[in-house]
Amino acid sequence: MTFPEEVLINDKKATLLKVSEELFATYGFDGTSTRMIAEQSGINIAMINYYFGSKELLYTAIFENRLIYIIEEIDRIGQLDIGPAEKLELYLRGYIRRIQNNQGFYRMESRQLTMVEQPPIVTLLETSRNKAFLLIHNIITRGILQNVFQHIDIEVFALNIIYLLPTVFTRPPALFAQLGFSTNDHRQSNSLENRIIQFLMASLIIKKIPQL
């Protein structure tokens, strides 16, 4: 049973995580102070230490919350009993939507990859990236064996997906609008999301030659 006090605590922690993530993504770790977080969240500065212990631990908690969910999602997709093409497209679409909906976090992640501090975050990042790499590798390998996918350099293909897509989908939409397509409207067949997925899948799937 959840008591009102527990709900209040969870709401405050969730608010602190959301607000601090936005600030860290904008100003970086050093440029974000606990005073800024308290002012933006409307939560007393002492409560940050009460819930998380320090700014460093709050920063770590953001990564833990996000990355544990991502790891679980990768595992869930890996266990699905569906064809390789369907599974790869499902992963790509989910990955892109996650980047689009959490651009601040992916900017934080990109910045964190250049740092050597905070080993717990580095470990989670490595686990998440490794699991994504293995999932993509296994899907494509299975597709090749089933004669669904062409023989390609699987490692390079997987690395492009993992590291290139966050760079593309954390750019301002205006940059892409100038080129004539949208990054936001998922209903458009020519949206950036659909165009990239179609391109990636077309580069893999073996085209069947119609029999005369």
Side-chain angles (χ1 to χ4, degrees):
M1 180 177 181
T2 302
F3 295 95
E5 293 84 356
E6 294 174 338
V7 173
L8 182 60
I9 289 172
N10 289 335
D11 285 347
K12 286 186 175 180
K13 289 182 71 173
T15 298
L16 286 171
L17 287 167
K18 181 177 184 298
V19 170
S20 59
E21 180 178 309
E22 294 170 354
L23 291 171
F24 285 135
T26 303
Y27 301 105
F29 180 80
D30 293 331
T32 301
S33 67
T34 52
R35 184 176 299 278
M36 291 169 63
I37 296 171
E39 289 176 353
Q40 290 291 322
S41 64
I43 297 174
N44 190 290
I45 194 169
M47 301 306 291
I48 297 174
N49 290 329
Y50 175 77
Y51 291 131
F52 298 100
S54 65
K55 185 178 83 168
E56 290 78 7
L57 292 175
L58 170 56
Y59 186 77
T60 300
I62 293 170
F63 279 88
E64 288 177 343
N65 282 359
R66 292 288 191 191
L67 292 171
I68 289 173
Y69 169 80
I70 290 170
I71 290 169
E72 290 175 347
E73 180 69 8
I74 292 171
D75 288 338
R76 185 188 70 79
I77 293 175
Q79 294 168 6
L80 293 175
D81 186 18
I82 55 179
E86 185 181 357
K87 183 176 288 190
L88 181 60
E89 182 170 346
L90 179 67
Y91 171 76
L92 289 173
R93 200 166 295 281
Y95 185 34
I96 291 172
R97 296 282 175 87
R98 191 165 62 241
I99 297 169
Q100 290 177 318
N101 293 333
N102 304 283
Q103 293 187 25
F105 172 73
Y106 280 91
R107 288 196 295 271
M108 289 174 61
E109 182 182 271
S110 177
R111 192 178 296 132
Q112 184 63 39
L113 287 170
T114 66
M115 301 167 62
V116 296
E117 297 90 348
Q118 297 166 311
I121 294 177
V122 173
T123 299
L124 277 172
L125 280 171
E126 289 176 347
T127 301
S128 172
R129 293 290 173 96
N130 289 343
K131 278 185 170 287
F133 181 89
L134 289 174
L135 174 66
I136 297 167
H137 196 288
N138 290 339
I139 292 172
I140 297 176
T141 299
R142 181 183 166 208
I144 292 172
L145 292 174
Q146 294 181 359
N147 204 34
V148 174
F149 294 154
Q150 304 179 62
H151 287 269
I152 62 164
D153 189 328
I154 302 175
E155 288 77 15
V156 171
F157 187 90
L159 288 174
N160 268 289
I161 290 174
I162 295 169
Y163 290 96
L164 178 61
L165 293 184
T167 300
V168 171
F169 286 98
T170 54
R171 300 303 91 188
L175 294 179
F176 299 102
Q178 295 173 3
L179 301 177
F181 52 82
S182 169
T183 61
N184 293 323
D185 190 348
H186 306 306
R187 296 168 299 178
Q188 294 184 15
S189 61
N190 67 335
S191 71
L192 182 57
E193 173 190 328
N194 287 324
R195 289 175 69 173
I196 286 182
I197 290 175
Q198 289 166 10
F199 176 82
L200 291 171
M201 298 304 296
S203 68
L204 280 175
I205 294 176
I206 296 176
K207 296 179 175 61
K208 304 296 184 182
I209 300 177
Q211 295 181 348
L212 299 178

